[in-house]
Amino acid sequence: MNYQQASKILVTGGAGFLGSHLCERLLAAGSDVLCVDNFYTGSKSNVAHLMSDQRFEVMRHDVTLPLHVEVDKIFNLACPASPIHYQFDPVQTTKTSVHGAINMLGLAKRVGAKILQASTSEVYGDPEVHPQPEGYWGRVNPVGIRSCYDEGKRCAETLFFDYKRQHNLDIKVVRIFNTYGPRMHPNDGRVVSNFIVQALKNENITIYGDGSQTRSFCYVDDLIEVILRTMDTPSEFTGPVNIGNPGEFTMLELAEMVLRLTGGKSKVIHEPLPQDDPRQRKPDISLAKAVMGWEPKISLEDGLKETIAYFRGVVKT
């Protein structure tokens, strides 16, 4: 990938978990990077190591407000992505997805930038089709406690494709499945960070439901690689394209692996399943393989080792 031709790349949500890794990769490729974040879930500490690079700039800004900058490419990652954070202020979550998409698409239209939307596997809801291909329209509760995120992201996809049809904008849409790795927020309520933090503190590991529900887990380095490859595809390719690791694990299997790798002595306890929690989630990545020649390389065990090492440095035990 050659990003040296681009004078400036905008990453919204650039101080978040995924955004900070993306900024790092773009800088390594020789790009000028403008990181925009309102620091609701993002953290300055995630990008502190990049601040000495003259090609890196941070701007505190909320994407629900218009932004006037000159850029060549836009990666729109801004939105809280964990249930704890996006349900805390659900109206603002919807605004971030919908108004944020409108503002970033408007910016892309004004400056002629190529723009990529970080969508989510949540657009599939609690799926009736398994694994989930891009052609599956999903099974989403439009009035549930997760709807602010699920429907906000679905509406953002609608906006992207309408801007493509109406204004011939160069768009890309990726649907991100569960991703984990260093710089995850310790209190984001996601299952990987929850289990690791609980194991390191020798607290009970909390599994919701009977633990038979499944997820697929993609290590952050693999995910950033396919995001970059997607942005580099010809304009004819828009997506949406699933990106994630098709390896499927039950919550019990994940808990057992985390306990083994941490050496923790925690007990596993069970709590009631939250409303609208999907029973299973696994991407069909045939399209990503065919178009981008990509598939994940890092195993769950190897990725967890890196993630646990990171959390040992940030979690007080």
Side-chain angles (χ1 to χ4, degrees):
M1 281 151 295
N2 180 11
Y3 277 81
Q4 281 136 342
Q5 302 306 315
S7 59
K8 182 158 284 190
I9 297 177
L10 168 62
V11 180
T12 70
F17 163 48
L18 292 180
S20 63
H21 284 275
L22 178 59
C23 289
E24 198 171 62
R25 280 290 302 273
L26 291 167
L27 286 169
S31 302
D32 289 339
V33 177
L34 173 59
C35 165
V36 165
D37 208 294
N38 68 352
F39 298 104
Y40 171 56
T41 57
S43 170
K44 290 180 182 177
S45 63
N46 285 340
V47 293
H49 64 296
L50 305 176
M51 298 295 284
S52 60
D53 193 320
Q54 293 182 352
R55 291 172 294 112
F56 184 67
E57 183 181 356
V58 177
M59 177 188 296
R60 181 187 287 271
H61 182 83
D62 192 311
V63 295
T64 62
L65 302 171
L67 181 63
H68 300 281
V69 292
E70 298 296 321
V71 292
D72 302 292
K73 291 187 172 82
I74 302 169
F75 291 86
N76 187 37
L77 275 60
C79 190
S82 74
I84 283 178
H85 291 144
Y86 68 63
Q87 289 171 15
F88 178 75
D89 189 345
V91 172
Q92 185 64 23
T93 297
T94 302
K95 284 182 176 180
T96 300
S97 287
V98 178
H99 293 183
I102 290 168
N103 287 329
M104 291 307 108
L105 287 161
L107 172 61
K109 180 188 169 194
R110 285 195 303 274
V111 301
K114 182 188 289 190
I115 182 168
L116 179 143
Q117 166 69 3
S119 191
T120 172
S121 61
E122 298 293 340
V123 300
Y124 298 121
D126 188 3
E128 301 155 301
V129 174
H130 192 72
Q132 292 80 58
E134 290 86 356
Y136 175 55
W137 289 356
R139 178 173 173 265
V140 175
N141 177 1
V143 295
I145 60 172
R146 301 169 69 104
S147 308
C148 58
Y149 186 66
D150 302 359
E151 296 288 29
K153 289 288 192 177
R154 285 163 69 96
C155 185
E157 286 196 15
T158 301
L159 286 161
F160 266 69
F161 280 89
D162 283 338
Y163 264 79
K164 170 71 174 177
R165 286 183 284 258
Q166 194 168 335
H167 303 295
N168 198 31
L169 213 60
D170 194 349
I171 67 159
K172 313 289 176 189
V173 175
V174 294
R175 290 176 176 165
I176 299 172
F177 282 68
N178 288 48
T179 307
Y180 69 100
R183 299 186 211 137
M184 292 184 82
H185 196 295
N187 301 315
D188 66 5
R190 296 191 220 189
V191 65
V192 172
S193 49
N194 266 7
F195 285 3
I196 291 174
V197 170
Q198 289 169 341
L200 291 176
K201 291 184 173 182
N202 283 315
E203 297 174 350
N204 290 333
I205 286 187
T206 308
I207 289 181
Y208 296 97
D210 62 8
S212 64
Q213 67 270 39
T214 66
R215 295 291 185 273
S216 58
F217 302 100
C218 187
Y219 188 63
V220 61
D221 289 358
D222 280 332
L223 194 91
I224 297 303
E225 175 65 26
V226 71
I227 286 176
L228 292 171
R229 289 193 192 186
T230 305
M231 184 62 106
D232 270 354
T233 55
S235 58
E236 300 78 50
F237 181 76
T238 59
V241 57
N242 290 336
I243 57 174
N245 193 319
E248 189 175 12
F249 296 86
T250 68
M251 297 301 95
L252 279 171
E253 288 172 331
L254 177 66
E256 289 165 1
M257 192 178 297
V258 167
L259 280 171
R260 175 168 58 81
L261 294 175
T262 57
K265 303 289 191 283
S266 304
K267 292 181 179 178
V268 173
I269 63 169
H270 294 264
E271 297 284 350
L273 202 62
Q275 180 186 334
D276 298 329
D277 194 62
R279 296 184 307 275
Q280 54 190 9
R281 188 63 63 68
K282 174 182 175 178
D284 180 334
I285 61 168
S286 304
L287 185 59
K289 283 183 181 179
V291 176
M292 279 83 77
W294 173 87
E295 57 185 317
K297 297 178 180 176
I298 299 166
S299 70
L300 180 58
E301 180 158 338
D302 288 344
L304 284 175
K305 288 176 182 175
E306 295 292 327
T307 310
I308 289 165
Y310 167 78
F311 275 110
R312 286 192 193 278
V314 298
V315 173
K316 294 179 181 178
T317 57

